[in-house]
Structures are given as C-alpha cells and as structure tokens.
C-alpha cells in the first residue's frame, strides 16, 4: 500500500514538473518528463510493484537469488580456470602433438625446406654480417615487408 502511494506521488510530481516545463515553451522536454512520470503509476496499475514488494519480503525469493549467485560464481570460476589452462581443445597429449606438428612445418620466408628440422640445420652457420645502422637499411626492411605482403 505504501509503495503504491509513493509511486502515485512521484507520478503527480513529475506531471507537475512537465506542466511547468510546457509553460516555459519547452514542449519536447515537457513531453519527455511526462513520459517518465507516467512510468511509476503504470507499474502500480499493472501489478509489478505489488509483485516486487512480495518478492522483496519473501525468504524463498532471496534463497533463489542466492542460488543464482552461486551458479554465476561457479560459471565464472570455471571460465577463469579454462582460460588459464588454454581452453578445452582436447587432452594435453593432443595439444603437444599438434604443437610438434606445427613446429615441424615452420618454414623461414626464403627457405625451401623446413628450417626447424634437425636434418637441415647446418652444424656451424657462417657469422652474420654486421648490419649498418643507416636509414637505407631501415627502408630496405620496410620494402622487404611490403614486397612480402604484395604491396
């Protein structure tokens, strides 16, 4: 009963503010204020306020909210653990086998054979030539990247 009275008072006050706003020739704002002020009385008339009042005072409803909170906490915890482990894409052995297969297939951009297989690795590679720090070298890297992407 008190909730219905409060909602009615809020609606009447809002409609009063809407009338004052319309008197100031701000009709669009007045219409918006009137729409907002009619919501509480509409909720009372449809019975939503009574249902909420009954729910707020019901121990069964609060126990239900507790169960929903526990379910949400369990769901969040399992998602966090799943992300930390790396997903649910299979067993650990399957993931390791897939990683080994991907490592075998890795190829350097200019190589004709897989660069990571032990059979094709040279025992002692030649020393790399020292790179110049000039701006021509930087532009050469940029040109190589652009050519690689077909630009």
């Amino acid at each position: 009963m008190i909730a219905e009275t409060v909602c009615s008072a809020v609606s009447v006050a809002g409609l009063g503010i809407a009338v004052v706003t319309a008197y100031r020739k701000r009709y669009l704002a007045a219409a918006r204020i009137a729409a907002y002020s009619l919501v509480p009385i509409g909720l009372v008339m449809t019975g939503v306020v009574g249902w909420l009042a009954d729910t707020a005072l019901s121990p069964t409803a609060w126990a239900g909210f507790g169960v929903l909170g526990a379910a949400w906490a369990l769901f969040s915890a399992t998602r966090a653990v799943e992300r930390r482990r790396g997903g649910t894409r299979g067993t650990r052995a399957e993931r390791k086998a897939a990683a080994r297969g991907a490592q075998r297939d890795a190829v350097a951009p200019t190589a004709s054979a897989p660069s990571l297989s032990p059979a094709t690795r040279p025992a002692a590679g030649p020393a790399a030539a020292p790179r110049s720090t000039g701006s021509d070298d930087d532009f050469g890297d940029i040109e190589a990247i652009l050519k690689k992407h077909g630009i």
Side-chain angles (χ1 to χ4, degrees):
M1 183 80 175
I2 293 175
E4 289 87 358
T5 305
V6 169
C7 287
S8 299
V10 167
S11 289
V12 168
L15 289 174
I17 293 170
V19 167
V20 171
T21 306
Y23 180 74
R24 294 181 182 169
K25 302 207 186 289
R26 296 181 57 206
Y27 299 111
L28 186 63
R32 189 174 297 128
I33 292 170
Y36 281 124
S37 65
L38 290 175
V39 169
I41 197 71
L43 292 174
V44 167
M45 293 173 82
T46 57
V48 172
V49 172
W51 177 79
L52 285 175
D54 292 339
T55 302
L57 302 175
S58 170
T60 306
W62 284 107
F65 285 124
V67 169
L68 288 173
W72 177 81
L74 283 172
F75 180 73
S76 297
T78 56
R79 291 289 294 166
V81 169
E82 182 178 304
R83 285 184 182 158
R84 179 170 274 186
R85 284 187 183 170
T88 58
R89 288 176 249 167
T91 64
R92 182 174 288 185
E94 290 173 355
R95 287 194 301 265
K96 283 185 180 181
R100 273 189 250 117
Q103 188 178 18
R104 256 186 272 121
D105 295 338
V107 177
T110 58
S112 60
S115 61
L116 296 177
S117 65
T120 60
R121 276 193 211 148
R131 296 179 60 150
S132 66
T133 59
S135 64
D136 293 337
D137 188 39
D138 293 336
F139 289 122
D141 291 343
I142 293 170
E143 287 177 6
I145 292 171
L146 292 174
K147 285 180 184 177
K148 179 180 174 185
H149 291 288
I151 298 174

